[in-house]
Amino acid sequence: MASNKVIGIDLGTTNSCVAVMENGAPRVIPNKGGYKTTPSVIAAAENGRRLVGQIAKRQAVTNAENTVYAAKRIIGRKWGHPAVETARHAVPYAIVEGPHGDVRVRLRGRDHSIPELSGAVLAEMKKVAEDFLGEPVEKAVITIPAYFNDGQRQATKDAGVIAGLDVIRIINEPTAAALAFGFGKKLQKTVCVFDLGGGTFDISILDIGDGVYEVVCAAGDTFLGGEDFDNRVIDWLAFGFMKDQNVDLRQDRMALQRLKDAAETAKCELSTADTTSINLPFIITPPGGGEALHLQTTLPRQKLEELTADLVDRCIQITDRALKDAGLTVKDIGDVLLVGGMTRMPIVQHRVEEFFKRSPNKGVHPDEVVALGAAVQGAALMEQEAGKKPDMLLLDVTSHNLGIMVAGGYLQTLIEANTTVPCSASHLFTTVRDNQTQVKIVVLQGNERRAEDNEVLGEFLLTGLRDAPRGQVTVEVTFEINSDGIVSVHARDTETGAQQSITVTTASALTDDEMKGILEANKAEALASKSRDQTDQTRLECERLLRDIDKLWPEAEKVFGATEAGKATLRNSKSAVEKARADVAGGDKAALQETLGVLQRTHQLVKGAAR
Amino acid sequence: MNVAAESVKLADAVRLKRGVDITQLPLGAQEGFILSRVDGRTVVKDLVASTGLPQDVVLDALKFLLKLGVVHKDYNPTEDAEADAADGPPEVLPQELADEPCDLAADARLRILQVEYETTRGTHYGVLGLKRAASQAEIKQAYRETSREFHPDAFFRKNLGSFKARLEKIFKHVKKAYDVLSDETARREYDKALPPPPAPRPKTPKAPAVPPPPDWRLDPKRVKEAEERRLKRNPMVQRVERAQRHLAKARELLAAKQLAQAANEIGLASAQDPWNEDVRQLQDQINQQVRDDKFAKAVARIELATAAGAGFNPEQEEKELAEAVRSAMEMEGASAAIYVKLGRALIKGGHPKLAKGPADRALKLAPDDDKAIMLTVDLLEDARLFHNAVRLLEKAHQANPSPERAERIQRLRKAADRK
């Protein structure tokens, strides 16, 4: 029996952290090495073994091509996306195109999907927690940047499933930070969370009071984080070296990996020191042969700040815009939280202080606060499930507009950004040709006016429409964003009330089959539960239809009873319904599926008559 | 109601009349579509924009709707308030909702129903449980408390049954109510449109100048007639009746062996009433016959070819026959008997090799069929695979014993031993 404890996992770009609620307070779980964070690094060793965490990071220099870091930057992205293009040129491992336009990483000849890799990190975090707690753990709350879109959220959830976790909720990192900050404090104020992590920048403004944490505004940039700061340093180092020695270090994978490590270390050191020296002996053998070359230089803090000034500017600009969107001024902000390792940089702290005209709160640990918040939310949800009333509720928002492509290639927004989730919106589609049997819908997410500038969540094909003259079939399509920020789409024929089937024709997520393959390789257990769920779902749907039919029956009896033909129909349907009732009680998956079909048909008949 | 209200201007806002069952209206698709956008606030100009239809189409449709009495443009909030006072929020839980299997206690169910009532018929104040004079601080607190009560997280992983949709609706309205009431300007606008608080409701003097015409609903005869008309008009009944007619016709045609016409009739019946088991069964039966018929024709052709072409051009003949057999095999859904017949015809024509495919198919379709087994036995013997032939023949002998078969088994055994 697995523990009922929920772990909170901060799945970071560079480091991950896990926390749990213990004795009424959240605490971070250290890994076996005693560190509170674990590098989000996965590697395939020479003997084919998979390495994760500290051990993977340690061998990165000698095995750069088979070591994956910053997988979070490309998770849930489609092939050809700018983020993927950038990553392809910046990383030493091989990023290749997957079978359906998604992104894969090739390690020792085998292609891995990104959720699979992130899943390995999550599995490692799960193991850290299990070792510490001494019992198996299943449930988890995973955090992601607020600015993640649907594809990235879905992929993260898939990663959780691959890791053998029951992901009870996906929450936004800045929100999680606020939850941990407000835990047990009975706050009544507006808080701004400034989260500059390894790969992303997020800004969230929360209105906290009476145990309710309401996000009033979320904004950010998924291409802005510590890695960009590192890249500036790498470019500066490589440029200097090129000028002196006429060799581009970035062409050599091992040299690039060493540069990357050195840049990161230098950046961290400059948070406390004024200047740092970078020493990389024997970094490269010149292409024409000859003695190995050395890189030796010093980097003053001022130079680093100069190299990255525009990045910090962008953070402040986004913050400014977020405040304006929320209709607030800096005076309304009661506290500023700094989250993410990058906020240790003095210039970042200084600029934030200058902007808000107040010094940021020092009470939170930038690396751990997010995981702590996830644990807090997980515990609250478990309390709800147990029927107790926890003393907090999170009201989060969606950070992108959700809409569809309309004629002319524009985005028609159906759900606006900063709408509280869960939420839904409906749209009516009409056929434009006679006997048109399908409608294509392109669902988009993003804040740009032109459709093509936004992220395509999926192309849906609405099939099986009735044959009718144009304009007579109207289908109501409902878009729903759940508490995880994940979008789902349902369609219903407005006249007959029949559900329309929807086929996803483009999506970057793993297909069910692939998921199955990976899971089988990992664990068969999670799959069984999914199928159980489906059977339960079918049964529930059957029961619902039966109840509905029973309710409408008297009216249908009246309508059909009036004619001879109708009486025969009544007898037929009655026996079908009785048989279905018996099947629903017992019945395996296949029988249930068939019963569902029978019930759906009968339901339509009865409903049509009773209207 | 005001009859002069038939002209619609672009700046008018129309509103759905209370209590109108829009599913019973004789509306076309366009009118229905326009009606779906009518919410009492949107003015006609915006309706034109949001439906994307030409302006005159929208105006015409609205005029029609006004004439029908489905919508009205001079909306009077007090009328609605009075209608509300007539029923009011539910005080007891309906039995069917109390019986519904879900993880909610009875009082929680009733509370959900009551708040749901507020969302549809009540005011924003009612949804949040507030007095009209509530201060901003009170509004905020009420919003937070109501959110904590009705946010989906408060029912995390619970089976909610039909209450799920209600809760979603409530949660949406809570947010909407708060958005309006927390914004002083929006709140003032909203208050203006509200009827005065119900406590000291002014009695509107009702002075019927003309005695109202006798309500036809009071005349039992007319009510009965109307009810009958309504039942007859029901499109489903009409469809079912049409289907029955087609079904009867199909049966007749089938009896008269007019297969193609019967197939057509049953297709029509199925289009009208796809829910009817009888129709489906007959359709399956007819389809099977149609396939068998086609197949039998193919077999007849092969028989003819084997008979006529004997000795003419053996190589050419074999090639053509193989082609014919292959195309016959590709036909899905023929019965085992047909394949047996085909196999026999081929053996008779001197092409046992070609007979193997049909024989295999026949045995696969009906593994216990005596004729299929015997056909295969003959082929196996011909191919000198005595062991396999014996095994099959024993099976057939067990099911239908006969002295000839016993004797044949002996003979085949010997042949097998010799080999």
Side-chain angles (χ1 to χ4, degrees):
Chain A
M1 182 58 201
S3 157
N4 211 27
K5 280 197 169 123
V6 188
I7 51 173
I9 304 179
D10 172 11
L11 178 63
T13 308
T14 41
N15 290 299
S16 293
C17 180
V18 59
V20 73
M21 203 70 160
E22 249 197 355
N23 303 327
R27 65 167 293 180
V28 169
I29 301 176
N31 62 20
K32 277 225 172 104
Y35 297 103
K36 289 191 169 177
T37 62
T38 305
S40 307
V41 181
I42 313 102
E46 211 162 331
N47 57 11
R49 259 186 59 211
R50 192 167 73 182
L51 308 173
V52 185
Q54 198 63 52
I55 186 168
K57 190 175 183 180
R58 221 175 292 141
Q59 53 87 66
V61 171
T62 51
N63 187 21
E65 278 133 83
N66 296 302
T67 305
V68 184
Y69 58 88
K72 189 179 176 182
R73 299 202 95 174
I74 47 175
I75 192 167
R77 293 285 190 200
K78 291 191 186 74
W79 182 255
H81 189 279
V84 177
E85 287 305 303
T86 318
R88 271 179 69 202
H89 298 297
V91 299
Y93 52 88
I95 299 178
V96 297
E97 188 174 0
H100 34 79
D102 59 341
V103 178
R104 300 281 158 116
V105 170
R106 184 161 294 166
L107 300 179
R108 297 202 185 275
R110 211 196 123 219
D111 288 356
H112 299 256
S113 71
I114 311 301
E116 211 178 331
L117 297 170
S118 288
V121 176
L122 288 174
E124 178 71 17
M125 301 319 288
K126 178 178 182 240
K127 210 170 124 257
V128 166
E130 284 174 347
D131 287 349
F132 179 83
L133 295 170
E135 55 187 355
V137 175
E138 263 181 5
K139 299 191 174 72
V141 172
I142 301 176
T143 64
I144 46 153
Y147 228 60
F148 259 22
N149 66 27
D150 177 72
Q152 294 166 297
R153 284 166 197 267
Q154 189 66 57
T156 306
K157 205 161 185 187
D158 286 351
V161 175
I162 290 169
L165 287 167
D166 172 9
V167 183
I168 64 172
R169 179 60 52 86
I170 300 271
I171 64 171
N172 297 332
E173 285 160 8
T175 327
L179 288 183
F181 171 68
F183 180 77
K185 283 203 189 85
K186 294 207 182 342
L187 291 181
Q188 299 275 358
K189 57 174 146 187
T190 305
V191 171
C192 179
V193 183
F194 185 99
D195 177 1
L196 188 56
T200 53
F201 171 64
D202 271 326
I203 190 92
S204 283
I205 299 166
L206 291 99
D207 189 10
I208 307 175
D210 302 323
V212 176
Y213 294 70
E214 184 179 15
V215 181
V216 288
C217 183
D221 189 338
T222 33
F223 314 126
L224 182 54
E227 298 260 341
D228 298 292
F229 287 71
D230 292 350
N231 286 339
R232 293 291 165 84
V233 178
I234 294 172
D235 287 349
W236 177 75
L237 287 173
F239 234 77
F241 196 78
M242 196 143 55
K243 242 182 5 206
D244 291 349
Q245 311 282 358
N246 209 15
V247 179
D248 187 0
L249 289 174
R250 284 169 301 190
Q251 298 307 320
D252 182 289
R253 298 216 147 165
M254 201 200 275
L256 178 60
Q257 184 61 41
R258 283 181 71 187
L259 271 184
K260 205 188 124 43
D261 288 348
E264 197 186 328
T265 317
K267 182 187 76 183
C268 291
E269 277 173 11
L270 287 178
S271 289
T272 45
D274 278 339
T275 176
T276 183
S277 62
I278 297 167
N279 239 327
L280 296 169
F282 305 103
I283 181 116
I284 201 166
T285 318
E291 293 238 337
L293 301 171
H294 318 293
L295 189 154
Q296 202 164 20
T297 183
T298 55
L299 176 63
R301 185 193 282 176
Q302 207 188 347
K303 185 75 202 168
L304 173 70
E305 288 171 358
E306 195 180 295
L307 288 170
T308 58
D310 62 313
L311 298 175
V312 185
D313 279 349
R314 244 162 80 199
C315 294
I316 299 295
Q317 271 164 21
I318 293 170
T319 311
D320 188 35
R321 211 176 50 220
L323 270 175
K324 286 205 178 93
D325 285 351
L328 296 170
T329 62
V330 287
K331 283 200 201 87
D332 298 319
I333 304 296
D335 238 322
V336 180
L337 303 188
L338 292 182
V339 183
M342 276 312 297
T343 55
R344 287 210 183 82
M345 211 167 140
I347 183 77
V348 174
Q349 292 180 359
H350 176 71
R351 292 290 303 274
V352 169
E353 192 172 334
E354 193 181 81
F355 177 79
F356 284 103
K357 301 189 180 65
R358 59 153 58 238
S359 59
N361 191 295
K362 299 270 184 339
V364 297
H365 192 295
D367 295 333
E368 299 169 5
V369 64
V370 170
L372 293 173
V376 169
Q377 172 72 5
L381 287 176
M382 290 330 283
E383 273 183 44
Q384 295 279 20
E385 196 185 13
K388 283 177 272 179
K389 286 276 159 215
D391 48 12
M392 60 139 287
L393 171 74
L394 173 61
L395 294 174
D396 215 332
V397 299
T398 157
S399 49
H400 300 81
N401 290 327
L402 178 76
I404 47 171
M405 184 153 85
V406 292
Y410 289 103
L411 169 78
Q412 181 181 346
T413 303
L414 296 177
I415 298 179
E416 274 185 32
N418 291 323
T419 305
T420 308
V421 290
C423 53
S424 62
S426 299
H427 189 80
L428 281 176
F429 289 89
T430 318
T431 49
V432 292
R433 288 191 311 274
D434 289 344
N435 297 333
Q436 185 178 355
T437 54
Q438 49 187 35
V439 175
K440 192 167 127 184
I441 305 167
V442 181
V443 184
L444 301 161
Q445 198 167 42
N447 301 336
E448 305 298 326
R449 210 172 117 62
R450 286 205 59 86
E452 66 207 36
D453 299 332
N454 296 294
E455 194 85 7
V456 177
L457 292 192
E459 281 175 19
F460 297 94
L461 213 51
L462 208 58
T463 55
L465 301 182
R466 285 176 293 125
D467 276 354
R470 65 165 165 256
Q472 294 219 350
V473 182
T474 47
V475 181
E476 184 186 52
V477 179
T478 307
F479 300 85
E480 212 179 288
I481 304 183
N482 69 8
S483 298
D484 290 337
I486 292 174
V487 180
S488 58
V489 184
H490 318 272
R492 200 172 56 87
D493 189 320
T494 48
E495 194 180 320
T496 61
Q499 290 280 336
Q500 295 290 348
S501 48
I502 283 184
T503 326
V504 186
T505 48
T506 340
S508 56
L510 291 172
T511 64
D512 281 356
D513 284 351
E514 284 171 298
M515 200 69 181
K516 252 184 233 172
I518 296 167
L519 280 172
E520 263 160 31
N522 285 358
K523 229 178 221 173
E525 195 188 314
L527 192 69
S529 87
K530 206 172 175 180
S531 140
R532 251 200 321 279
D533 277 359
Q534 262 169 13
T535 315
D536 283 350
Q537 286 268 314
T538 316
R539 178 167 288 128
L540 278 177
E541 178 67 11
C542 285
E543 281 167 0
R544 187 185 73 77
L545 287 170
L546 273 174
R547 270 204 306 278
D548 233 26
I549 292 173
D550 287 346
K551 206 166 75 194
L552 298 169
W553 190 257
E555 180 67 15
E557 229 167 5
K558 210 155 66 180
V559 168
F560 284 122
T563 61
E564 264 325 294
K567 276 182 192 147
T569 308
L570 267 185
R571 270 196 305 280
N572 268 332
S573 337
K574 184 148 193 152
S575 64
V577 169
E578 287 319 312
K579 189 179 167 295
R581 212 185 292 278
D583 282 350
V584 169
D588 57 347
K589 198 174 164 188
L592 270 175
Q593 269 305 336
E594 198 178 312
T595 309
L596 183 65
V598 172
L599 281 176
Q600 274 169 346
R601 281 197 303 273
T602 316
H603 183 248
Q604 267 191 40
L605 175 79
V606 174
K607 199 169 169 194
R611 261 191 322 136
Chain B
M1 208 22 68
N2 194 349
V3 186
E6 274 181 24
S7 66
V8 190
K9 285 187 289 295
L10 281 180
D12 288 343
V14 288
R15 185 183 165 95
L16 191 66
K17 221 178 249 181
R18 176 178 293 273
V20 170
D21 182 1
I22 50 170
T23 59
Q24 297 290 344
L25 297 173
L27 296 184
Q30 274 180 350
E31 286 138 8
F33 180 48
I34 292 165
L35 189 59
S36 73
R37 296 296 164 96
V38 166
D39 57 2
R41 287 187 308 275
T42 317
V43 296
V44 176
K45 201 172 143 203
D46 292 339
L47 273 182
V48 173
S50 78
T51 53
L53 294 168
Q55 186 174 315
D56 46 340
V57 171
V58 175
L59 284 175
D60 282 349
L62 285 173
K63 273 181 204 157
F64 176 66
L65 290 170
L66 276 170
K67 220 174 176 176
L68 270 182
V70 182
V71 294
H72 49 149
K73 32 172 229 179
D74 40 7
Y75 163 60
N76 179 2
T78 22
E79 259 173 52
D80 274 1
E82 272 170 34
D84 276 346
D87 32 8
E91 270 155 28
V92 283
L93 195 59
Q95 197 54 40
E96 54 167 21
L97 288 178
D99 290 344
E100 194 183 322
C102 78
D103 301 344
L104 292 171
D107 53 344
R109 294 181 192 201
L110 182 59
R111 167 98 174 110
I112 291 171
L113 281 194
Q114 285 167 347
V115 181
E116 190 202 9
Y117 174 89
E118 289 292 343
T119 62
T120 47
R121 316 280 287 277
T123 62
H124 287 339
Y125 293 98
V127 171
L128 295 177
L130 284 168
K131 293 209 179 69
R132 288 283 173 85
S135 70
Q136 278 303 334
E138 282 169 332
I139 291 173
K140 194 164 204 169
Q141 199 187 354
Y143 164 62
R144 285 172 174 163
E145 275 162 16
T146 332
S147 290
R148 278 174 71 163
E149 189 177 353
F150 292 109
H151 189 277
D153 275 2
F155 307 93
F156 185 68
R157 291 197 174 175
K158 292 234 162 73
N159 175 17
L160 297 174
S162 71
F163 289 93
K164 186 162 187 265
R166 293 174 213 276
L167 282 165
E168 277 169 10
K169 196 165 140 199
I170 293 174
F171 180 63
K172 242 186 186 172
H173 269 85
V174 167
K175 174 78 184 157
K176 201 163 123 196
Y178 175 66
D179 282 346
V180 170
L181 298 187
S182 63
D183 178 349
E184 277 300 346
T185 350
R187 184 180 175 188
R188 266 198 299 280
E189 286 288 308
Y190 178 75
D191 285 348
K192 246 190 253 168
L194 270 186
R201 182 143 37 99
K203 278 272 176 214
T204 37
K206 273 178 192 159
V210 197
D215 192 342
W216 65 271
R217 274 169 298 195
L218 297 177
D219 182 353
K221 195 168 146 239
R222 291 183 66 187
V223 168
K224 194 157 168 256
E225 279 169 12
E227 176 69 5
E228 266 165 22
R229 269 203 307 279
R230 186 176 77 78
L231 290 180
K232 276 230 184 82
R233 256 206 328 267
N234 189 305
M236 276 296 168
V237 170
Q238 288 173 2
R239 286 177 72 167
V240 168
E241 275 176 356
R242 273 198 296 266
Q244 291 293 339
R245 280 204 296 281
H246 287 304
L247 180 65
K249 191 92 179 285
R251 285 214 172 99
E252 261 170 46
L253 287 166
L254 188 63
K257 301 252 182 263
Q258 284 175 302
L259 258 186
Q261 288 92 324
N264 185 36
E265 279 302 320
I266 198 71
L268 289 172
S270 162
Q272 290 296 336
D273 185 4
W275 311 282
N276 193 324
E277 272 310 302
D278 289 347
V279 172
R280 207 124 44 100
Q281 269 170 19
L282 191 67
Q283 192 171 25
D284 286 350
Q285 195 189 332
I286 291 179
N287 282 345
Q288 181 70 38
Q289 284 200 22
V290 168
R291 280 195 296 266
D292 281 0
D293 190 54
K294 265 194 199 158
F295 208 81
K297 277 188 189 140
V299 172
R301 260 204 310 282
I302 291 168
E303 277 178 322
L304 208 67
T306 51
F312 175 63
N313 182 352
E315 226 169 89
Q316 185 65 23
E317 182 194 316
E318 177 103 8
K319 226 175 174 177
E320 274 173 19
L321 262 183
E323 191 57 44
V325 171
R326 194 160 46 242
S327 68
M329 295 290 292
E330 272 166 11
M331 267 188 226
E332 286 288 324
S335 62
I338 290 284
Y339 287 112
V340 173
K341 201 171 162 200
L342 177 59
R344 287 284 169 212
L346 287 164
I347 293 177
K348 205 171 144 203
H351 302 282
K353 268 189 195 144
L354 290 180
K356 193 173 170 304
D360 282 352
R361 179 70 64 84
L363 209 57
K364 197 173 158 202
L365 286 172
D368 298 319
D369 182 72
D370 195 59
K371 280 186 178 144
I373 294 178
M374 292 315 290
L375 172 66
T376 314
V377 170
D378 288 352
L379 285 174
L380 287 170
E381 191 181 345
D382 189 69
R384 302 181 60 76
L385 294 164
F386 299 118
H387 278 294
N388 295 352
V390 167
R391 216 175 300 138
L392 264 179
L393 190 55
E394 272 170 349
K395 191 174 159 194
H397 183 55
Q398 244 171 24
N400 298 303
S402 77
E404 295 99 73
R405 286 188 181 176
E407 193 191 317
R408 192 171 173 197
I409 289 175
Q410 290 301 325
R411 191 159 47 80
L412 284 175
R413 281 220 177 102
K414 265 183 209 148
D417 289 343
R418 266 204 305 283
K419 191 180 159 196

